Amino acid sequence: MADVKRLREGFEEFDRLLAGEEDWQDKPEQPAEDPVALEKELAVLDMDKAYADRDLNVGFSGGEKKKAEILQLLLLKPALAILDETDSGLDVDAVRTVSKGIEEFQKDKDASLLIITHNAAIADLATRVIRLRSGSVMESRLNEHPARVEDIAW
């Protein structure tokens, strides 16, 4: 029940942002409180500590930028995260690394994650899978045994 409540709160906040009732830019940035957590999450994403101090919009490759975005997700721990095509334009190794970060985020049971993807392997990581075609739900199922990143044949 707590998962449903957190998901509802996340969607309500998203609706307020879309309606202009809240301004995401007014929210203070939440720095990593624990340097040990930062180092742990950097290790999960196979990133050097120097990445943490770089401007996300300057000098990052596509794969590095995606890793940095997942790092922010891991450190900020939002109630709801929406990821759109996290594997787009990445090589297999980068997809595996980004997916490992997503897997790490999922360990936090108070968070909900919505992943939009065309990659069936990434969908296998989910606890609930909804497949759409032309805007219609083709399948909706619970995945009682989500795959682990290291078990997926990429």
Side-chain angles (χ1 to χ4, degrees), residues 45 56 64-74:
L45 294 170
L56 186 60
E64 289 171 334
K65 191 168 185 176
K66 295 246 179 164
K67 287 181 187 181
E69 290 166 350
I70 298 297
L71 176 64
Q72 290 173 340
L73 175 74
L74 292 169

Side-chain angles (χ1 to χ4, degrees), residues 11-146:
F11 279 120
E12 288 170 355
E13 180 179 2
F14 186 66
D15 286 341
R16 288 191 301 274
L17 289 169
L18 287 177
E21 296 169 13
E22 288 186 28
D23 188 352
W24 62 270
Q25 294 176 340
D26 292 340
K27 294 189 177 205
E29 204 170 300
Q30 299 175 5
E33 296 174 13
D34 181 2
V36 174
L38 175 61
E39 290 203 25
K40 175 186 165 234
E41 305 306 0
L42 283 167
V44 167
L45 294 170
D46 194 28
M47 295 177 77
D48 187 89
K49 190 172 181 178
Y51 284 99
D53 297 324
R54 289 173 55 192
D55 182 343
L56 186 60
N57 296 312
V58 179
F60 275 91
S61 70
E64 289 171 334
K65 191 168 185 176
K66 295 246 179 164
K67 287 181 187 181
E69 290 166 350
I70 298 297
L71 176 64
Q72 290 173 340
L73 175 74
L74 292 169
L75 293 172
L76 297 177
K77 299 189 183 315
L80 171 66
I82 301 172
L83 305 177
D84 187 13
E85 297 293 343
T86 57
D87 58 328
S88 175
L90 300 180
D91 62 33
V92 173
D93 290 335
V95 171
R96 187 180 300 116
T97 301
V98 167
S99 297
K100 191 68 179 163
I102 292 168
E103 186 177 68
E104 185 71 21
F105 177 80
Q106 288 179 305
K107 289 180 183 177
D108 181 359
K109 299 299 183 203
D110 288 336
S112 296
L113 181 61
L114 172 63
I115 300 174
I116 301 161
T117 185
H118 290 95
N119 186 332
I122 289 176
D124 289 339
L125 299 170
T127 54
R128 181 172 186 91
V129 176
I130 301 171
R131 295 188 194 278
L132 303 174
R133 176 169 288 141
S134 301
S136 298
V137 175
M138 302 305 291
E139 174 189 19
S140 178
R141 65 177 167 85
L142 290 177
N143 184 3
E144 294 182 22
H145 304 288

